Amino acid sequence: ETGVTQSPTHLIKTRGQQVTLRCSSQSGHNTVSWYQQALGQGPQFIFQYYREEENGRGNFPPRFSGLQFPNYSSELNVNALELDDSALYLCASSPQAGQEGYVKNIQYFGAGTRLSVL
Amino acid sequence: GDSVTQMEGPVTLSEEACLTINCTYTATGYPSLFWYVQYPGEGLQLLLKATKADDKGSNKGFEATYRKETTSFHLEKGSVQVSDSAVYFCALSDPAGTALIFGKGTTLSVSS
């Protein structure tokens, strides 16, 4: 069974540019969440997608947006990049109730995309 | 709002020493509780979980018990190995059941 995969692994952008990060959820997981982890900090919740709809959002500005596709994969888009957007971006997927590995609120993480904004 | 507080690191131990990493939480309702581990340059791996009071999560020799009366979920291991060197995060589920709320992480360094 394939776990959560993210691409690219590393990315360098300049301030003001736009970036798209991609995530493939673990097989059959229909919920995807995105987190930002600044250096030396714990991950901070950006938003969650369930059945292609945003299902919750953290304290991030609208220039952070996302999509989920019918195959449950997801994208995180960040517009007008700022220096403080430099971080590790983590994607996590959650199984459906009744699916193997289901525990309420459990999330399985990918290896992340490290974004550097210069 | 809901939050997690972890003991500050780094924690430095010799191989085969006992480990305790303290985690306390503030939450409305009855969240699920988790410990995740992050090895250098990698993402988060789920280490163990507990979904209700008095549940004990365990994995790879690590244990943590959901203590509602003390709002704690301390991580313990009886004998650490060099390979356990990593950053450990305590987390809880938010009231809506969507986000995980993480502590700041505790760095563990084990020497042989």
Side-chain angles (χ1 to χ4, degrees), chain B:
Chain B
D2 292 11
S3 65
V4 174
T5 302
Q6 287 181 239
M7 64 184 286
E8 296 207 8
V11 174
T12 303
L13 295 173
S14 298
E15 204 165 24
E16 299 184 3
C18 295
L19 169 71
T20 299
I21 300 178
N22 290 335
C23 171
T24 58
Y25 66 90
T26 302
T28 53
Y30 304 97
S32 297
L33 301 175
F34 305 89
W35 277 100
Y36 283 86
V37 58
Q38 187 172 37
Y39 297 100
E42 298 185 10
L44 300 179
Q45 295 181 23
L46 177 66
L47 184 58
L48 51 82
K49 59 191 179 295
T51 58
K52 61 183 187 297
D54 300 325
D55 266 2
K56 177 185 280 189
S58 61
N59 186 27
K60 299 181 181 179
F62 291 90
E63 295 183 339
T65 301
Y66 191 141
R67 301 285 189 199
K68 183 172 177 292
E69 63 276 11
T70 54
T71 61
S72 65
F73 193 53
H74 304 321
L75 182 67
E76 299 177 326
K77 188 174 185 183
S79 177
V80 294
Q81 305 300 314
V82 173
S83 58
D84 294 327
S85 298
V87 181
Y88 292 81
F89 292 94
C90 184
L92 60 79
S93 55
D94 76 343
T98 52
L100 293 179
I101 298 168
F102 287 85
K104 292 186 176 181
T106 303
T107 299
L108 171 65
S109 179
V110 181
S111 58
S112 57

Side-chain angles (χ1 to χ4, degrees), chain A residues 35 37 48 103 105-107, chain B residues 36 38 49 93 97-98 100:
Chain A
Y35 293 79
Q37 185 181 17
Q48 182 180 89
V103 167
N105 305 131
I106 203 166
Q107 298 188 13
Chain B
Y36 283 86
Q38 187 172 37
K49 59 191 179 295
S93 55
T98 52
L100 293 179

Side-chain angles (χ1 to χ4, degrees), chain A residues 38-111:
Chain A
L39 201 60
Q41 301 295 316
Q44 298 290 317
F45 175 70
I46 302 174
F47 44 56
Q48 182 180 89
Y49 278 82
Y50 171 68
R51 292 186 176 179
E52 303 177 54
E53 297 285 334
E54 188 176 287
N55 188 46
R57 189 177 182 93
N59 189 26
F60 281 80
R63 60 190 185 83
F64 285 78
S65 63
L67 283 173
Q68 187 181 29
F69 301 98
N71 66 353
Y72 305 141
S73 66
S74 178
E75 287 182 354
L76 164 65
N77 299 288
V78 187
N79 293 322
L81 283 167
E82 300 177 359
L83 298 180
D84 285 349
D85 295 334
S86 295
L88 180 67
Y89 288 84
L90 295 163
C91 173
S93 70
S94 304
Q96 306 176 50
Q99 189 175 11
E100 182 180 355
Y102 175 78
V103 167
K104 187 180 176 185
N105 305 131
I106 203 166
Q107 298 188 13
Y108 297 94
F109 285 80

